[in-house]
Amino acid sequence: MTRWFIAAIAGVVLFPAVVRGQAAVVEVQQNAGMTSESNSVASTQLRVFGEPVAGLRFKLEGSFGQQFGEGSDFLGTAYPYGGRADLIEAYAEYLFTDRFLVRSVRAGRYRTPFGISSAGEHGYIGFTRPPLIRYGEYWALSSGYMEHGIDVVVGRPQLSAELSVGRPGDVGDAIRRPGVDTVVRVEGSSDSLVVGASFIDTTPYLPIVWAHGRARYGGVDARWMKGGVALRGEWLAGRPFNGVSTVGGYVDAIVHRPVMGPVTLVARAERLDYDTPMAEFVLKTHRAQLGARVRLWQGLSVSAGVSHQGGQQTQHKPTVMDVSLSYALRTRF
């Protein structure tokens, strides 16, 4: 994967030179953090994106991250920390005008479009840990799920349907077995409210010797924003393989009012239940997170938070404190 990462980055960095001066953006993001779990992480992301011709845009993103100390889900909101270079996204997408029923066609490597799935919706708001339903080792989804495939969106901004067909191209600890997977999503919006429903049929990430059958999940999600206050959440139910089930979800509150200046407050309540006939492997857990993100100067920001978890732990302590720094540098060609 490392040689593919280097080759792809080099290719797209050189690509803007041959698109007749059209603007492309190169962004480098540095992240570092530590937690009271005696754990620390550091990572770098490199992104190149742009629109060389009207309606056609591309994105290429790579990441390198390293974790020090005991493993946990700290800063696992969007990127892995396995001590290797990973190609995250590499796709081209064509956006059609409103005269067409088809709104967009995307091909390449992209994040699995189930529910609230983009990196920006999880990695840059202020939460220092991913939702339990997106922690790869918790019998549900993973923030490292990627697709090698084609994604088509049809409809109008107020009501649309999306179909993704591809093969898993995951990063992180939860790597799905080879095979074909399908994601279907329907989304509707009205004023400040966006509501969606998703379904995924994919391969399990667990060994075939005991994880038989397909992984299938259905989910609903909603987002509402008004006056600097955003509420959002997801609920998921399904099975990671035959004979077991997973149910869980979360609700977020995100507040950024003008009077707060550079400060954004975040809070989350969540739970996850994994049921299996083998009682020793039943998992029931819940967690509450409270934090803030502060923009210090241009691309420099700090996030800090506290999380308390009950039931089986992704954390090594019931209550932990997290702090992280992020710096982004962006330039145009």
Side-chain angles (χ1 to χ4, degrees), residues 104-182:
S104 67
V105 176
R106 176 184 298 182
R109 177 180 172 88
Y110 49 87
R111 292 183 182 271
T112 301
F114 184 103
I116 302 174
S117 58
S118 73
E121 291 177 299
H122 289 287
Y124 306 107
I125 295 175
F127 291 105
T128 54
R129 295 173 186 265
L132 294 171
I133 63 170
R134 293 184 178 275
Y135 175 55
E137 299 181 2
Y138 259 24
W139 319 100
L141 304 177
S142 168
S143 60
Y145 276 1
M146 306 287 162
E147 307 296 329
H148 291 157
I150 296 176
D151 182 272
V152 180
V153 178
V154 299
R156 293 289 182 260
Q158 294 78 19
L159 181 63
S160 63
E162 181 175 6
L163 173 65
S164 169
V165 178
R167 298 177 63 85
D170 308 329
V171 296
D173 296 325
I175 307 297
R176 288 171 291 173
R177 303 198 300 253
V180 177
D181 58 324
T182 304

Side-chain angles (χ1 to χ4, degrees), residues 125-299:
I125 295 175
F127 291 105
T128 54
R129 295 173 186 265
L132 294 171
I133 63 170
R134 293 184 178 275
Y135 175 55
E137 299 181 2
Y138 259 24
W139 319 100
L141 304 177
S142 168
S143 60
Y145 276 1
M146 306 287 162
E147 307 296 329
H148 291 157
I150 296 176
D151 182 272
V152 180
V153 178
V154 299
R156 293 289 182 260
Q158 294 78 19
L159 181 63
S160 63
E162 181 175 6
L163 173 65
S164 169
V165 178
R167 298 177 63 85
D170 308 329
V171 296
D173 296 325
I175 307 297
R176 288 171 291 173
R177 303 198 300 253
V180 177
D181 58 324
T182 304
V183 183
V184 178
R185 175 169 172 78
V186 178
E187 182 177 286
S189 62
S190 176
D191 296 328
S192 301
L193 178 66
V194 178
V195 178
S198 304
F199 175 79
I200 184 171
D201 182 336
T202 186
T203 54
Y205 71 88
L206 299 155
I208 195 171
V209 295
W210 57 276
H212 303 291
R214 302 278 293 178
R216 295 190 176 102
Y217 300 101
V220 294
D221 59 89
R223 285 163 282 187
W224 175 87
M225 177 180 290
K226 189 173 183 178
V229 178
L231 301 176
R232 69 178 191 181
E234 292 186 83
W235 187 258
L236 168 151
R239 70 183 198 206
F241 52 91
N242 288 352
V244 300
S245 65
T246 300
V247 177
Y250 64 92
V251 176
D252 291 346
I254 304 161
V255 182
H256 182 76
R257 303 277 294 174
V259 70
M260 298 167 64
V263 179
T264 300
L265 298 179
V266 297
R268 170 177 293 159
E270 56 183 330
R271 68 170 295 121
L272 183 143
D273 296 336
Y274 166 70
D275 290 315
T276 171
M278 303 178 68
E280 64 270 29
F281 294 109
V282 170
L283 183 155
K284 295 185 183 296
T285 185
H286 54 88
R287 182 163 64 182
Q289 298 185 55
L290 181 65
R293 181 178 177 90
V294 182
R295 182 176 178 272
L296 301 177
W297 176 76
Q298 295 184 358

Side-chain angles (χ1 to χ4, degrees), residues 43 45 54 62-63 78-79 87 130 139 142 173 175 180 210 238 248 308 324:
S43 71
Q45 285 83 46
S63 179
Y79 301 99
L87 181 62
W139 319 100
S142 168
D173 296 325
I175 307 297
V180 177
W210 57 276
H308 178 79
S324 66

